[in-house]
């Protein structure tokens, strides 16, 4: 076994999970250690609720993300969300719409086929996904979630060729499920700008991942039921210390599945978003008590995928 551990070390990887939990010296471009993310913000009204509740509770939200997909929002809805986030210097990250679980294949719903996740089956699905990204960018969007390795690589090439802006933030979804330092480093090499780690990784496993990648790590500290339902609020200070630069992501346990969302679920989404921000306020209290010296980014900080308004480039969609 020692020989195998030495082999990993020779390649620049940790030889074991890091139980000594070393402090990360890596930072966001602005020197900060952490930022706050609210997920599942499904539409303009839900987004406005997030902002109103954040102001009421004194919580800084750096990124909001959405799961239903770009293709299930109208141009006006996307523009409105972009305008709201741009005005605050906040990142907006919308999921690519096409995905395996919404395609006509039964494989993602079989007992063994679930491992395919949200990956795209066939070339046409990749084309649809690229069209979704192009449409979002043309409306001012500067951040999106992907959950397919092939699409991830294509986004890197799209940036090189000017099809996507260079500052477009590609956030890899938690549903990609790469779970160790080697596989997550591969995601970064394929084009991930931030990576959402699986929800049940221990601190030593997470510390080993941080050793080999420089991109921000996104981590749920409250996890939707479908991903385990864990509530890790008291670990937040250590997560920041060990994983910096890190997005602290407040999901919500014990809530209904709202994907794909729409007007028929808007009131539910608004209530869920309001509670996620409340959970973020609870998490911030823990940071203030146990790690008050932790450095948080300001709104509009470098590296945030803040939408661009007023200089929108047309793309063929």
């Amino acid at each position: 076994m020692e020989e195998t551990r030495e082999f990993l070390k020779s390649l620049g990887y940790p030889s074991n999970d890091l139980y000594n939990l070393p402090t990360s010296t890596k930072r966001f471009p602005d020197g900060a250690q952490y930022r706050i993310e609210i997920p599942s913000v499904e539409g303009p009204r839900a987004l406005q609720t997030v902002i109103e509740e954040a102001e009421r509770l004194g919580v800084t939200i750096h990124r909001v993300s959405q799961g239903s997909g770009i293709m299930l929002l109208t141009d006006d809805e996307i523009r409105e969300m972009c305008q709201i986030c741009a005005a605050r210097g906040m990142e907006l990250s919308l999921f690519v719409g096409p995905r395996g679980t919404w395609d006509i294949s039964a494989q993602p719903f079989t007992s063994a086929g679930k491992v395919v996740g949200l990956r795209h089956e066939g070339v046409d699905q990749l084309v649809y996904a690229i069209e979704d990204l192009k449409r979002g960018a043309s409306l001012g969007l500067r951040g999106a979630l992907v959950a397919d390795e092939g699409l991830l690589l294509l986004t890197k090439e799209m940036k090189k060729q000017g099809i996507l802006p260079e500052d477009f933030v590609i956030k890899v979804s938690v549903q990609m499920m790469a779970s160790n330092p080697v596989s997550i480093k591969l995601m970064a090499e394929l084009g991930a700008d931030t990576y959402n780690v699986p929800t049940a990784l221990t601190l030593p496993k997470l510390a080993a991942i941080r050793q080999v990648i420089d991109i921000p790590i996104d981590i749920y500290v409250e996890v939707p039921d479908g991903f385990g339902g864990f509530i890790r609020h008291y670990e937040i200070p250590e997560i920041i210390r060990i994983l910096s630069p890190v997005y602290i992501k407040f999901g919500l346990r014990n809530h209904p599945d709202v994907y794909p969302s729409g007007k028929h679920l808007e009131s539910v989404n608004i209530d869920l978003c309001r509670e996620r921000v409340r959970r973020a306020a609870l998490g911030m209290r823990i940071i203030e008590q146990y790690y008050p010296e932790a450095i948080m980014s300001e709104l509009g900080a470098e590296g945030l995928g803040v939408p661009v308004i007023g200089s929108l480039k047309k793309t063929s969609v």
Side-chain angles (χ1 to χ4, degrees):
M1 195 175 293
E2 287 306 313
E3 189 176 289
T4 298
R5 294 189 190 280
E6 288 300 319
F7 166 67
L8 286 173
K9 286 175 66 176
S10 73
L11 296 174
Y13 299 111
S15 59
N16 52 265
D17 296 330
L18 300 184
Y19 291 92
N20 60 331
L21 302 180
T23 298
S24 172
T25 59
K26 300 174 182 179
R27 297 291 185 267
F28 285 104
D30 62 347
Q33 294 169 278
Y34 75 99
R35 296 172 177 175
I36 303 298
E37 175 178 349
I38 301 295
S40 303
V41 180
E42 307 299 310
R45 302 288 73 75
L47 173 57
Q48 193 60 51
T49 297
V50 167
I51 290 172
E52 291 170 0
E53 197 69 2
E55 289 178 344
R56 187 180 75 83
L57 296 176
V59 177
T60 298
I61 307 297
H62 301 87
R63 172 198 278 165
V64 291
S65 51
Q66 173 256 20
S68 296
I70 296 168
M71 73 178 188
L72 291 182
L73 290 168
T74 67
D75 285 4
D76 285 344
E77 287 170 334
I78 294 172
R79 287 193 190 98
E80 184 177 357
M81 294 180 79
C82 285
Q83 289 166 355
I84 292 170
C85 288
R88 293 184 66 84
M90 184 167 63
E91 179 174 321
L92 173 64
S93 189
L94 304 181
F95 218 120
V96 170
R99 61 193 68 175
T101 50
W102 293 355
D103 199 6
I104 60 174
S105 172
Q107 179 170 296
F109 303 102
T110 63
S111 58
K114 289 178 182 179
V115 296
V116 74
L118 302 192
R119 290 174 178 84
H120 306 290
E121 293 188 350
V123 176
D124 286 349
Q125 283 288 320
L126 284 173
V127 171
Y128 305 154
I130 290 171
E131 289 295 301
D132 231 26
L133 288 168
K134 288 165 60 180
R135 173 171 170 250
S138 75
L139 296 170
L141 186 68
R142 290 298 181 267
L145 292 100
V146 304
D148 180 280
E149 299 90 336
L151 180 61
L152 179 58
L153 177 60
L154 290 173
T155 62
K156 185 176 181 180
E157 295 301 319
M158 290 168 72
K159 290 183 183 182
K160 287 180 181 178
Q161 296 187 32
I163 300 171
L164 281 180
E166 289 186 5
D167 61 353
F168 196 100
V169 176
I170 298 297
K171 169 178 163 60
V172 175
S173 166
V174 67
Q175 301 198 61
M176 190 78 90
M177 290 295 177
S179 306
N180 62 68
V182 182
S183 60
I184 294 176
K185 184 180 180 184
L186 179 60
M187 296 299 109
E189 291 172 351
L190 288 175
D193 293 309
T194 75
Y195 187 84
N196 201 142
V197 293
T199 61
L201 295 180
T202 63
L203 294 180
K205 291 175 181 178
L206 291 166
I209 291 166
R210 171 45 75 207
Q211 295 301 297
V212 301
I213 61 170
D214 295 328
I215 62 172
I217 289 172
D218 313 335
I219 183 168
Y220 276 104
V221 293
E222 180 159 351
V223 182
D225 300 80
F227 292 113
F230 316 119
I231 301 177
R232 305 179 70 173
H233 289 194
Y234 271 100
E235 289 184 276
I236 295 173
E238 279 292 85
I239 286 171
I240 293 171
R241 182 182 69 82
I242 296 163
L243 296 190
S244 171
V246 61
Y247 282 89
I248 304 298
K249 186 173 179 180
F250 290 90
L252 191 61
R253 182 172 179 170
N254 192 29
H255 75 76
D257 184 358
V258 295
Y259 295 141
S261 197
K263 292 293 185 182
H264 61 308
L265 292 171
E266 189 166 73
S267 62
V268 175
N269 279 317
I270 287 172
D271 288 342
L272 295 176
C273 283
R274 184 175 290 113
E275 181 58 25
R276 289 187 190 99
V277 177
R278 177 177 170 274
R279 295 294 220 270
L282 295 174
M284 289 303 301
R285 185 203 66 78
I286 289 175
I287 296 171
E288 290 163 5
Q289 180 174 356
Y290 297 107
Y291 196 8
E293 66 272 27
I295 303 170
M296 181 178 70
S297 287
E298 299 290 336
L299 292 174
E302 183 181 351
L304 286 171
V306 178
V308 175
I309 304 300
S311 58
L312 306 185
K313 178 182 177 182
K314 288 287 184 182
T315 62
S316 57
V317 295

